[in-house]
Amino acid sequence: MRLGSIVLFVAFCSFTAYYIYEPIPEDIEERWKLMLANSFFRTVSHLADLCELLGLKDYMGVMYVITLVEKVVPVSDEHVKVTEETFDGVDVVLYQPIVQESEPNLRRAVIYLHGGGWCLGSPRMSPYDLLARKIVTELDAVVLSVDYRLAPPHHFPIPYEDVYRVVKHFFRKEVLAQYSVDPGRVAVSGDSAGGNLAAAVSQQLRKEPGQQIKLKAQALIYPVLQALDLYTPSYQQNQNMPILPRTLMVRFWSEYFTTDKALFRAMMANTHNSPESSILLKFVNWSAFLPETYHKKYNYSAPAVSQGAEGEAAGVDEPSRSFADPRASPLLVPDADLRFLPKAYILTCEYDVLRDDGIMYATRLRAAGVEVTHEHYTSGFHGAVMFTVWPTDFLIARRMISNYIKWLMENL
């Protein structure tokens, strides 16, 4: 009996170690902590796959538990006043410095858009709440964290439209005056899918005829910027990296547009482009816009194009009109539309499928004459900024946030 218990214990420990261990690059700091954190994400993903297979709940519905685990109730403290508001029908969480004097000076403001692949995430997650408070206290700024609607069921362009409406509402004179915000010192910022929305809003505000809103800066943290080529060197190199493997990123993209699994299968094979969207592939040609050091062992091959009825039969034709839309893929805008964009901060990580999106955007913005600060973390991984809460607090997250806030301090 005792021997049997020992065998079971050893077997359990061996299975646990096998499940947790992943071949993670040596230069990533705190590797075992990342393995442990990712084992939770993988477990939820496997459970989500199983529930969807059995017809119990859709995949993203189960994955949303990641958001729920981190949720907090944002409350005011001695330094920060927190209120939950509605701007033009969209929920927001507003963070303001607690005013000591009777007539405060006008302040900076950061409109922050959370990540989560347009399907997960919330401003009420603990890491975002902590980040907003840090920005408020260190910059004496107002932070507007947007609770845009998520897909599914709110597919593109609903999340983008929610954000766009919030930005326009915030720039109304009476709203700026209410929160003592200087209209010339407002930035839009976000991580991952939030970086996508931040870049898209920055572009579209400049394009709208007669639009008077002028953002001072855009700060994009490992942004996702294009859906046309999902086989760039970073997608290949990091396809099995923790937190955001290629399969999950492709799943986020497909769910952003439709629940039809045909698109997911086509995107996984990188055969989702229609003749219409293929015209825009020139804007994501990584052999032209990616510095050679990031090419590594990979050779450029243009994504395949589905033809006519075949694309429609695969369920790809309708969504292809969406992922060719620059509001979904900001990297697809022509050079002329980049020239007058606000100064940009772009953070990228070496071990991230989205690395090349951010680097290509930095390259194109610079070529268009936009002032760009590009910070690349050679030991960074996707989602690192979110890992600031014990027990999954990472040193690299602290460095990233410190450098990000330093840039805002100097440029906003």
Side-chain angles (χ1 to χ4, degrees):
M1 184 70 177
R2 187 176 179 183
L3 179 61
S5 298
I6 293 173
V7 170
L8 284 174
F9 177 73
V10 171
F12 173 77
C13 292
S14 299
F15 174 78
T16 302
Y18 175 79
Y19 186 77
I20 292 174
Y21 179 78
E22 295 179 79
I24 292 177
E26 291 288 339
D27 54 341
I28 290 182
E29 303 168 18
E30 302 175 286
R31 293 167 64 242
W32 276 100
K33 189 183 287 189
L34 181 57
M35 290 181 202
L36 287 167
N38 193 54
S39 66
F40 168 72
F41 286 92
R42 283 192 294 125
T43 299
V44 176
S45 181
H46 293 158
L47 180 61
D49 281 326
L50 179 62
C51 288
E52 186 167 75
L53 182 65
L54 297 176
L56 300 176
K57 196 170 183 65
D58 66 273
Y59 180 86
M60 289 301 171
V62 177
M63 290 293 286
Y64 194 73
V65 73
I66 295 170
T67 302
L68 297 177
V69 165
E70 295 267 26
K71 269 205 170 181
V72 296
V73 178
V75 295
S76 300
D77 59 33
E78 60 181 320
H79 302 295
V80 182
K81 178 183 177 182
V82 184
T83 56
E84 298 186 48
E85 312 282 352
T86 301
F87 281 12
D88 196 10
V90 181
D91 292 339
V92 300
V93 182
L94 198 79
Y95 297 80
Q96 305 172 71
I98 289 183
V99 180
Q100 301 299 327
E101 61 271 19
S102 57
E103 293 185 11
N105 295 324
L106 293 181
R107 293 187 170 88
R108 309 172 172 102
V110 177
I111 302 170
Y112 197 88
L113 313 172
H114 68 80
W118 311 280
C119 303
L120 310 175
S122 166
R124 297 170 180 83
M125 293 175 72
S126 180
Y128 290 124
D129 179 64
L130 291 174
L131 177 59
R133 293 173 191 275
K134 193 171 182 64
I135 294 172
V136 170
T137 55
E138 295 198 17
L139 298 184
D140 189 35
V142 172
V143 175
L144 181 66
S145 198
V146 184
D147 196 8
Y148 56 87
R149 287 173 290 176
L150 302 175
H154 304 293
H155 301 291
F156 174 82
I158 291 175
Y160 164 80
E161 290 174 343
D162 282 357
V163 170
Y164 192 77
R165 292 208 314 276
V166 165
V167 173
K168 292 188 71 173
H169 181 90
F170 188 61
F171 267 91
R172 290 167 59 179
K173 288 183 179 180
E174 64 273 21
V175 177
L176 292 170
Q178 180 182 352
Y179 300 112
S180 301
V181 171
D182 183 343
R185 302 180 75 189
V186 180
V188 64
S189 181
D191 61 297
S192 194
N196 167 282
L197 295 168
V201 165
S202 298
Q203 292 177 359
Q204 298 305 313
L205 284 172
R206 288 287 186 167
K207 289 176 65 176
E208 184 175 322
Q211 181 59 258
Q212 298 300 310
I213 296 174
K214 290 186 178 180
L215 294 164
K216 179 72 179 289
Q218 54 179 322
L220 316 178
I221 300 172
Y222 36 74
V224 49
L225 297 169
Q226 59 87 25
L228 297 194
D229 188 355
L230 304 179
Y231 218 56
T232 62
S234 60
Y235 268 103
Q236 296 180 67
Q237 172 187 299
N238 302 305
Q239 60 182 322
N240 296 313
M241 276 299 296
I243 311 303
L244 189 68
R246 181 177 183 271
T247 302
L248 181 56
M249 188 61 241
V250 173
R251 186 73 179 254
F252 282 141
W253 265 125
S254 66
E255 295 275 357
Y256 190 29
F257 301 123
T258 178
T259 53
D260 187 344
K261 297 301 184 288
L263 178 60
F264 172 69
R265 292 190 293 271
M267 294 183 100
M268 280 299 295
N270 214 31
T271 58
H272 55 290
N273 282 286
S274 68
E276 292 77 15
S277 67
S278 67
I279 296 172
L280 301 172
L281 285 170
K282 61 185 178 181
F283 294 123
V284 296
N285 182 340
W286 57 261
S287 67
F289 299 119
L290 201 62
E292 282 195 26
T293 184
Y294 298 104
H295 291 196
K296 301 191 176 179
K297 63 181 180 180
Y298 306 104
N299 297 311
Y300 180 74
S301 178
V305 179
S306 62
Q307 299 295 329
E310 289 183 11
E312 294 173 17
V316 173
D317 189 64
E318 181 61 35
S320 73
R321 286 191 282 272
S322 294
F323 56 69
D325 188 324
R327 295 175 301 168
S329 297
L331 197 52
L332 302 185
V333 299
D335 294 342
D337 291 343
L338 297 175
R339 289 174 190 156
F340 303 105
L341 291 179
K343 67 176 69 174
Y345 172 88
I346 299 176
L347 183 158
T348 57
C349 296
E350 179 63 25
Y351 300 109
D352 179 6
V353 293
L354 302 179
R355 180 198 68 194
D356 296 345
D357 283 20
I359 295 174
M360 286 193 287
Y361 198 45
T363 299
R364 291 194 59 209
L365 285 172
R366 282 192 181 119
V370 177
E371 182 182 337
V372 178
T373 298
H374 174 214
E375 287 196 333
H376 181 69
Y377 289 81
T378 56
S379 61
F381 56 90
H382 191 85
V385 165
M386 288 289 287
F387 291 97
T388 56
V389 181
W390 186 89
T392 56
D393 51 328
F394 283 75
L395 294 174
I396 194 169
R398 296 180 190 176
R399 292 202 302 276
M400 286 179 175
I401 290 173
S402 177
N403 291 335
Y404 163 72
I405 291 179
K406 182 174 182 283
W407 185 87
L408 289 174
M409 175 74 77
E410 296 171 352
N411 291 276
L412 186 58

